[in-house]
Each structure stands twice: as C-alpha cells, then as structure tokens.
Amino acid sequence: AALAAYGGKLYAGLGDDSGEGDVSVCDPVRTGAPGVCESGDWSVAYDSSAYAATALVEFSGRLYAGYGSYNNAAGDIMAYDGTSWVPSYDGSYDIVHALAVYGGRLFAAMGDDAGDGDILVCDPKATGLPALCEAGDWSVSHDGATASIESLTAFNGMLFAGVGGAAAGQGDLLVFDGVSWKRAYDGTSTRLPALAAFSGRLYAATAASEIQRLTPAVSSITYSAADGSTGLETLSAVIPSRLTS
C-alpha cells in the first residue's frame, strides 16, 4: 500500500491479491468538505490486473506507481501524466518496495528473492522523452546481495536505503552521496521496512516492530587543495556518512 499527492489530488496504491493492485484517487472537491477526502471523493484512477500497488511518488510532473507480488517478474513501474498510464519499467524483480526522488533522478528499491536487493535509477534524459522515465532510462545504481531493498528516503543531502533479508543482521542502512553507495549503519534486525526524517534525525522501523533513532556522526574530515599555489584556493571538506543509534 502507498499514498502520494499529485496534481492537487491524493492517490492510494491498493491490493493484496491477484487483480487488486489498483490506484485510487481522491478529489476532495467532489463531495462534502472541500479539503477532506471523504468516501464519495474516491474513484479508480488505474484498474490494474497486478497483485498490489506498493509504491507511489511524483517525479518530473508525473506520478509513478511501483507494483509487486511474491510471483516472479511482478515488480513493474507505471507512469501517469494526469490523463493516461504508460509502462515505465518492466523487469524480472518481484516487488518495487519503494520509490524516491534524489538529485533530479528517480530511484526504485527492488526485491524479493535472494540477490534481488538492488536499487535502480532512472535518468529521464538518457533516452526518449526528457521528462519521462522510459525503459532505456533505467540502470542499476546499487547491486545488492540480500533479498530486497525495503525503503528509501532523502536526508541531510543524501539518499538512504533500508536493506532486507532473511537473517538477523541483514537489516542495514545504506547511504548514497550522489556518487557511490556505502553502509551507514550496521543493523541487527532482518529488515528496515520504513525510513523517515524528522527534526534533524533519521528514524528507521525494523522488522522487530522497533523504531530506531539515528543521528549523524562525524568521525573525521579530510581537506584537499592544490599544493604550491600562491593564488586563491577553495578547500573542500569530505565528511564520511555515518549514523549512530
């Protein structure tokens, strides 16, 4: 299940069985109070034959919906421009666990078999229409070894991803600085199914029904500059991405 705002309306990803993966939309001005989604405000935006609509996000003027089930190759992504839905990604993964926007690109958290825990990225300018994520725009940003990437969120200018697996200790947290992925937190749970930034900290929900509060920590700073220069220099600081609970 998922919720996202797009074009002044609220969209809901639904489903938990074959053919139930619809996307519903609330237009709050249809009935009752104009600023509240009431029962009469909801209608079907996309009637899908999929198992479940598992992720929703707005990106570059379109609404993207991720799908999935525990059957092979159900992890597809659709794009909606306010009028029609078109396929964006059709691959071999079981589930799109999460979608997130970072650095002008769209990221997708995938799974759910051993070794399927990858993160895909779409650069819509790579092929075709410059504002639409099409099949040729997608590539692998992180090639994971676990069963899934369960969550994504932007925090402190970086993108964080919660990892999932079958064994305790696989629920780590990854961080992306725009160049490479690194481990930001070595977890003890099997999964981190949800992430959220709040009041300068990152919160993570674990498979053990716990909420972990993670705080940025600086372990060292590296300065670099041109040696021997007598002119004005700009020093750049590289701060390692690390979180403490």
Side-chain angles (χ1 to χ4, degrees), residues 158-242:
M158 292 170 285
L159 181 64
F160 289 82
V163 180
Q170 290 187 328
D172 297 336
L173 188 69
L174 304 178
V175 61
F176 181 63
D177 59 5
V179 178
S180 61
W181 288 92
K182 300 176 183 177
R183 187 168 65 179
Y185 180 72
D186 187 2
T188 58
S189 177
T190 57
R191 299 183 296 118
L192 294 182
L195 297 171
F198 176 69
S199 190
R201 291 178 173 86
L202 184 64
Y203 290 81
T206 75
S209 299
E210 299 173 340
I211 304 297
Q212 294 181 339
R213 184 183 64 204
L214 305 173
T215 304
V218 178
S219 58
S220 64
I221 300 177
T222 301
Y223 293 99
S224 62
D227 292 335
S229 173
T230 58
L232 181 65
E233 296 179 295
T234 300
L235 298 179
S236 61
V238 178
I239 303 177
S241 303
R242 186 167 64 88

Side-chain angles (χ1 to χ4, degrees), residues 123-135:
D123 182 355
K125 298 181 178 65
T127 66
L129 298 176
L132 173 64
C133 282
E134 299 168 284

